[in-house]
Amino acid sequence: MKPLHIIMSVIGGAIAGAAVGLLAAPEKGTDTRNKIAEFLKEKGITLKKNQLDELVDEIEDQVEKKL
C-alpha cells in the first residue's frame, strides 16, 4: 500500500468516527449537521450543502444498520 493511501484511510476513519459520534448524540439534526460541517472545515475539507447532506445521510444509514 502506498503511504498516501494509508494517510487518506486514517483521515477518512477519523472523519467517519467523529461523524458517527456526533450523529449518536441527542441533539437536533441541524445542530449535528452544523457541527459536522465545522469539523470538516477545520480539517480543510469543504463541501457544498447538498454534498454534506449526502454524507450525513450515508453515515446515518450506516449507523442505523449497526444498531
Side-chain angles (χ1 to χ4, degrees), residues 20 23 57-67:
V20 168
L23 289 173
D57 290 341
E58 184 177 327
I59 293 169
E60 185 177 28
D61 290 342
Q62 293 298 319
V63 170
E64 287 176 358
K65 287 180 186 177
K66 303 264 183 202
L67 299 176

Side-chain angles (χ1 to χ4, degrees), residues 7-54:
I7 292 170
M8 294 303 291
S9 297
V10 170
I11 291 172
I15 291 171
V20 168
L22 289 172
L23 289 173
E27 292 186 12
K28 291 174 57 178
T30 53
D31 293 339
T32 302
R33 288 173 189 254
N34 289 337
K35 285 186 178 184
I36 292 171
E38 288 175 23
F39 175 80
L40 293 175
K41 285 179 186 175
E42 288 174 7
K43 300 300 178 189
I45 300 170
T46 56
L47 297 173
K48 294 179 181 177
K49 184 179 180 338
N50 63 339
Q51 291 174 319
L52 177 63
D53 289 342
E54 289 175 13

